[in-house]
Amino acid sequence: MFNINDRKFDNINKNLYKICNNLDKNIINYDITPLKQIKNNFKLKIDEFYREDRKLNIGIIGQVKVGKSSFLNTVIFNGKEILPKAATPKTATLTKIEYSDENYIEIEYYTESEWKIIERDAKVDSNLNQYMVSKEIINMVKNNNIDPYTYIKNKNEKIKFDSYEDLIGELNTYIGEDGKLTPLVKSVKLYMNKEELKEISIVDTPGLNDPIISRTDKTKQFIEMCDVVFFLSKSVPFLEAHEMELLTSQLPQKGVQRIVLIASQQDSAIIDTLWDCDTLEEAYIDVQKRLKKRAKDEFNKIIDRYKTAVNKENIIKILQECKEPVIVSSMTYNMSKKQIENYNEEEQNVYENLNYTDEIDNDWLNKIGNIDEVKAIFEEVVEEKEKTLIQKANTFIPNVKNELKIELNNILDTVNKRINLLSDNDKNELENKKKSMQHQINDIKAELEGIFGDLNITMEKNRLEGVGELREISREYSNISEKTGTITHVETYRVSTSVWYKPSTWGTSRPESYCYEEQYYYLDASDALENIRNFANESITTIEKTFDKAVNLSDLKRRLLNIVVDQFDTADENYDAGYFKMLAQKTINDINFPIIKIDVQDYLNEISSKFSGEVTNSSDKSNLKMILGNTISKLLDVITDKFSDEVQSMKANLNNIKASFVDNLLKNIEDEFNIILQQCENKEAEIKNNKEFVKLVEGILNDEMLKNL
């Protein structure tokens, strides 16, 4: 199909098989599962790549509630709500869309073993996400009054449909937020007789932060096959830490050839900005500049990291494109195609907020939506299909070679550590060392207690400081200043027009006028409304800065990584450090700052229902000041309560992270020591066997077979 050397790939497959086969027969029973996974993934990629009907695999990736389904509905289905929204991780399902002459849905249920894991996790008394979501899924099944095993035993189900209406009804049953069978479904394939799908395969993924392990594995398998990714990040907040990790550390290394960064829900960012701007144009320009600057700053920091990477030119090229995000709003684009009377409640609310300056029209809604730019990129991506696939094929060999070298060196490190431990210690000494490790784990626990204890103290200290700042801000916005107005008075008087020699004019006169100005003082009711909006916005900024100051993610990551290395004695200071670093990285990515939203409409109504325009009466002015002060005071109470709740939630999240970090650390060390203690039963023979295994691995690393990969 492509101008690529098929025989070379076949040779690599054979060499990978030989490497795994040689090491799998090792006499020390070393688990080479990661190597087998590299071999299997490579074969899977090649087999999938050389399919006769090979399509361009396009991934739609982003966290839950980032707007992936709405984005696809707008771009692929012209605004029709075909794909239901997933409101929470429990309803997030991997959905694949492809062309077929026949219209049908293919449902994949959890396997029996996967379902038993969910049932097991649901019984665990823990607040960790994995267990909480499992509980929610089990509760959904109970509330829907269904027997899961009736469906799970079927494994797959195929359902035909004739119209979009039939399709929507069927999909809601299987992947809708409240769909009867939603909790049992792992993935859905949607086959449609739609011409524009002929060359592509689109997948709407649940995201790699999915707490259900089997769904995450399914997503990871797809990403291995992905050619192009449309990565969605909310405009507010844009490019969070865990999103940057996925964008920069995982996707480019998996063979993705192009990443189109989409800043979704632009309407929310503009609404948040509009209060501080005089015109819609000003707010739009501000949002565009701010989001593009953030993307440019973040990716400039990252690109230097890849200057020595395998396939560096390709990876840097992919990341460079991310510096220019496409900023969209699926909602406003769809609104631009409707009459106002046909808006739903959510659209009506967005329209009213965007129309704060009385400028919004269909042209503006379309401009904010910006979906035409995305459609143009989609067309370009499809046109460049063959070029993209050839580029991808050229990355297979360098990537698999790099993965293989890393894993073989990891094996060497681990086995050499075992040899050292066996050589330098008898069984009793190893037992003592294990106990010492246990003690050092307790030291790590103590260190973690110190780190997370410090974080909790810092969090509380910053909360108090934040509340103090909020009170200061509230005082600033609790009052409004009088403005000076001018009234022009016009007075008239009559001037005699009598002329003594004209008797007919005697007694006549004409009017004349003169003007004078009088100053007066007034309060502007719109200033009071502006104070309420500004207070809410500044409060949100203050709270976000407080969290950022209290939990410095970079510093926390560094301290966690240092702990797992520094707490072991000199002989073991690098003991399985790679695993611990990976664990620390994963742990730190689970920390998310809360997103604070404050609805001020009711507080605005307290002013606007009683006052408008200029307030000149002294009694009314006093009344307006009093109501504004009371309104800001009530809003302050709501904001500080919300702030305190979020701080408590953040503390609980940090405690869960601390607990899981220690548990995983302990299990890994104990498993490794149990292997070494077992080998100590026949110490000399095991040392010899381990050394032979090391020679075998070193031989593979130096072998022409690996060099020629």
Side-chain angles (χ1 to χ4, degrees):
M1 183 169 92
F2 301 106
N3 186 24
I4 298 170
N5 191 338
D6 298 10
R7 185 173 294 176
K8 189 169 186 179
F9 284 134
D10 287 340
N11 287 337
I12 291 168
N13 260 328
K14 288 174 186 174
N15 286 340
L16 287 172
Y17 178 82
K18 284 179 188 175
I19 289 169
C20 289
N21 197 43
N22 288 342
L23 293 179
D24 205 20
K25 294 175 181 176
N26 69 82
I27 46 181
I28 64 169
N29 294 319
Y30 189 93
D31 182 11
I32 64 161
T33 299
L35 275 179
K36 290 179 180 177
Q37 196 168 5
I38 292 170
K39 177 199 75 175
N40 294 338
N41 283 347
F42 183 78
K43 185 175 188 308
L44 198 64
K45 284 181 193 176
I46 300 306
D47 290 347
E48 202 275 342
F49 188 84
Y50 279 100
R51 273 177 24 212
E52 279 301 316
D53 60 344
R54 172 61 157 98
K55 298 175 182 289
L56 188 76
N57 290 325
I58 299 174
I60 312 298
I61 296 179
Q63 307 309 319
V64 173
K65 296 193 80 172
V66 77
K68 298 189 300 295
S69 296
S70 298
F71 175 78
L72 269 177
N73 284 335
T74 303
V75 175
I76 303 299
F77 300 112
N78 297 320
K80 292 186 176 70
E81 293 189 5
I82 302 297
L83 302 174
K85 297 175 184 177
T88 66
K90 69 179 184 289
T91 61
T93 304
L94 186 137
T95 308
K96 192 169 187 177
I97 307 167
E98 287 191 359
Y99 174 84
S100 172
D101 292 335
E102 187 180 35
N103 295 317
Y104 65 95
I105 310 166
E106 193 173 272
I107 309 296
E108 181 187 8
Y109 295 107
Y110 290 112
T111 65
E112 189 169 338
S113 60
E114 288 168 348
W115 187 254
K116 287 187 183 299
I117 290 171
I118 292 174
E119 289 181 320
R120 181 200 68 197
D121 287 349
K123 294 174 184 175
V124 176
D125 184 18
S126 170
N127 290 324
L128 290 175
N129 208 19
Q130 174 184 343
Y131 305 116
M132 295 296 290
V133 171
S134 294
K135 288 186 182 75
E136 289 182 47
I137 288 176
I138 296 299
N139 285 335
M140 282 180 73
V141 168
K142 288 177 181 174
N143 292 338
N144 292 345
N145 197 26
I146 53 178
D147 175 13
Y149 291 97
T150 302
Y151 299 92
I152 286 170
K153 69 182 180 183
N154 295 331
K155 296 182 181 176
N156 294 286
E157 190 173 348
K158 181 177 176 179
I159 304 152
K160 293 182 182 179
F161 63 90
D162 296 320
S163 66
Y164 276 153
E165 288 72 24
D166 293 342
L167 169 60
I168 292 167
E170 293 291 353
L171 276 179
N172 274 319
T173 300
Y174 293 95
I175 61 175
E177 183 186 356
D178 298 313
K180 182 178 179 181
L181 300 178
T182 295
L184 305 178
V185 175
K186 182 164 68 173
S187 70
V188 169
K189 290 180 182 175
L190 174 57
Y191 295 93
M192 303 182 72
N193 190 343
K194 197 170 171 62
E195 193 70 22
E196 51 266 50
L197 294 174
K198 274 194 170 179
E199 295 294 322
I200 58 178
S201 176
I202 301 172
V203 170
D204 177 10
T205 68
L208 287 179
N209 65 333
D210 190 343
I212 301 302
I213 304 301
S214 52
R215 288 195 312 219
T216 300
D217 289 343
K218 191 85 176 174
T219 300
K220 285 180 176 176
Q221 281 176 20
F222 171 74
I223 287 176
E224 289 279 338
M225 310 300 165
C226 222
D227 306 311
V228 177
V229 161
F230 285 77
F231 191 99
L232 274 68
S233 174
K234 283 184 183 179
S235 293
V236 183
F238 185 49
L239 291 179
E240 295 185 279
H242 56 280
E243 293 175 318
M244 284 301 297
E245 170 64 21
L246 177 57
L247 270 168
T248 60
S249 298
Q250 296 187 47
L251 292 178
Q253 306 282 34
K254 295 294 183 183
V256 174
Q257 291 306 295
R258 184 174 183 182
I259 300 173
V260 181
L261 178 58
I262 305 288
S264 67
Q265 302 176 11
Q266 179 176 203
D267 53 287
S268 295
I270 290 176
I271 289 168
D272 286 350
T273 307
L274 201 51
W275 309 121
D276 298 322
C277 299
D278 294 328
T279 64
L280 182 58
E281 178 78 26
E282 185 184 338
Y284 174 81
I285 290 171
D286 180 78
V287 167
Q288 293 276 319
K289 283 182 179 176
R290 188 156 30 92
L291 295 181
K292 288 179 179 179
K293 182 179 185 304
R294 174 155 176 77
K296 187 175 181 180
D297 290 348
E298 289 298 317
F299 283 96
N300 276 337
K301 289 181 204 169
I302 298 297
I303 284 170
D304 282 346
R305 183 195 301 174
Y306 285 99
K307 288 189 174 170
T308 57
V310 174
N311 233 5
K312 62 182 178 182
E313 292 85 2
N314 195 45
I315 291 175
I316 290 172
K317 178 177 167 240
I318 291 167
L319 295 178
Q320 286 282 10
E321 185 174 354
C322 292
K323 287 160 64 174
E324 287 292 330
V326 182
I327 307 170
V328 306
S329 167
S330 301
M331 180 177 289
T332 64
Y333 182 83
N334 292 329
M335 287 166 62
S336 73
K337 312 299 178 190
K338 296 180 181 180
Q339 297 296 320
I340 294 176
E341 55 268 23
N342 294 328
Y343 289 169
N344 60 34
E345 187 177 344
E346 187 180 7
E347 290 169 337
Q348 185 67 44
N349 187 47
V350 168
Y351 179 84
E352 289 171 2
N353 283 313
L354 283 173
N355 204 31
Y356 174 65
T357 55
D358 293 324
E359 298 173 83
I360 200 71
D361 57 20
N362 281 347
D363 288 340
W364 259 116
L365 290 170
N366 184 63
K367 184 175 181 177
I368 294 168
N370 196 32
I371 294 297
D372 290 334
E373 183 178 353
V374 178
K375 289 182 176 180
I377 294 171
F378 250 90
E379 289 175 9
E380 179 187 309
V381 161
V382 175
E383 285 173 8
E384 294 182 349
K385 172 188 170 184
E386 187 163 344
K387 176 184 171 185
T388 301
L389 294 180
I390 290 173
Q391 284 175 346
K392 186 180 180 89
N394 290 334
T395 68
F396 289 159
I397 295 172
N399 285 351
V400 75
K401 184 175 180 180
N402 190 50
E403 288 174 22
L404 195 59
K405 280 186 174 180
I406 289 170
E407 187 52 40
L408 288 170
N409 280 307
N410 286 342
I411 291 171
L412 281 180
D413 288 344
T414 304
V415 177
N416 278 323
K417 278 183 286 184
R418 287 184 185 176
I419 292 170
N420 290 337
L421 283 168
L422 284 167
S423 300
D424 298 342
N425 302 274
D426 58 27
K427 189 172 183 180
N428 287 335
E429 287 170 328
L430 283 170
E431 288 284 5
N432 289 334
K433 203 165 188 66
K434 183 180 177 183
K435 289 175 185 175
S436 172
M437 279 286 194
Q438 181 68 51
H439 176 70
Q440 289 174 67
I441 286 287
N442 289 330
D443 287 343
I444 287 176
K445 285 183 181 179
E447 286 285 327
L448 287 174
E449 288 291 345
I451 286 178
F452 286 96
D454 288 347
L455 281 177
N456 282 331
I457 292 169
T458 305
M459 186 97 61
E460 187 58 29
K461 178 187 171 191
N462 280 276
R463 183 189 72 82
L464 293 173
E465 290 176 359
V467 169
E469 283 186 52
L470 292 174
R471 293 195 188 284
E472 285 295 324
I473 296 167
S474 74
R475 279 192 278 274
E476 180 185 339
Y477 290 110
S478 291
N479 205 355
I480 50 176
S481 301
E482 286 191 333
K483 293 181 175 179
T484 304
T486 304
I487 298 177
T488 301
H489 296 276
V490 178
E491 297 286 349
T492 61
Y493 60 94
R494 299 198 72 81
V495 177
S496 174
T497 56
S498 298
V499 180
W500 68 270
Y501 55 84
K502 289 184 179 179
S504 61
T505 64
W506 294 350
T508 61
S509 63
R510 71 172 186 274
E512 287 203 358
S513 62
Y514 68 95
C515 301
Y516 68 94
E517 291 183 344
E518 180 184 11
Q519 284 191 330
Y520 69 97
Y521 298 94
Y522 69 94
L523 295 177
D524 191 337
S526 66
D527 286 348
L529 298 177
E530 194 67 20
N531 273 19
I532 292 170
R533 294 188 189 100
N534 288 340
F535 173 54
N537 289 332
E538 197 164 332
S539 295
I540 290 170
T541 302
T542 299
I543 292 171
E544 288 172 348
K545 285 180 179 175
T546 300
F547 279 113
D548 192 39
K549 184 179 173 184
V551 184
N552 184 308
L553 290 179
S554 298
D555 183 59
L556 179 57
K557 178 180 176 181
R558 178 186 57 77
R559 293 173 73 184
L560 288 174
L561 291 175
N562 285 345
I563 280 179
V564 298
V565 175
D566 293 347
Q567 284 303 311
F568 294 97
D569 62 33
T570 306
D572 299 317
E573 66 175 356
N574 291 317
Y575 185 83
D576 212 1
Y579 171 80
F580 296 141
K581 287 181 179 179
M582 180 190 70
L583 179 60
Q585 183 74 45
K586 181 180 182 302
T587 303
I588 206 73
N589 286 339
D590 287 339
I591 301 176
N592 295 314
F593 292 147
I595 299 170
I596 309 292
K597 284 239 175 206
I598 300 167
D599 185 358
V600 296
Q601 194 56 53
D602 289 343
Y603 302 96
L604 295 172
N605 290 341
E606 289 194 35
I607 303 288
S608 61
S609 63
K610 298 180 179 66
F611 303 95
S612 63
E614 296 180 355
V615 180
T616 55
N617 181 281
S618 59
S619 174
D620 288 343
K621 286 195 282 186
S622 297
N623 225 3
L624 175 56
K625 286 186 175 184
M626 181 188 71
I627 292 173
L628 174 62
N630 290 340
T631 301
I632 293 289
S633 179
K634 284 191 283 187
L635 186 53
L636 173 65
D637 289 341
V638 169
I639 291 170
T640 51
D641 286 346
K642 188 184 282 278
F643 185 20
S644 295
D645 290 344
E646 293 295 351
V647 167
Q648 292 307 315
S649 175
M650 187 71 169
K651 285 180 180 178
N653 187 24
L654 290 170
N655 284 333
N656 287 333
I657 289 167
K658 176 185 68 178
S660 61
F661 190 94
V662 173
D663 290 345
N664 284 304
L665 192 62
L666 180 61
K667 183 180 183 306
N668 188 263
I669 288 174
E670 289 195 341
D671 286 349
E672 180 66 14
F673 256 88
N674 287 338
I675 292 171
I676 298 169
L677 283 166
Q678 187 178 354
Q679 291 183 349
C680 199
E681 297 291 340
N682 192 6
K683 184 175 174 178
E684 295 305 321
E686 290 293 348
I687 290 173
K688 180 183 175 186
N689 292 339
N690 275 282
K691 286 181 176 179
E692 287 180 6
F693 185 68
V694 165
K695 283 183 182 177
L696 181 60
V697 175
E698 287 175 339
I700 292 169
L701 276 168
N702 296 321
D703 199 292
E704 287 300 316
M705 180 168 62
L706 180 60
K707 290 179 182 177
N708 290 330
L709 278 181

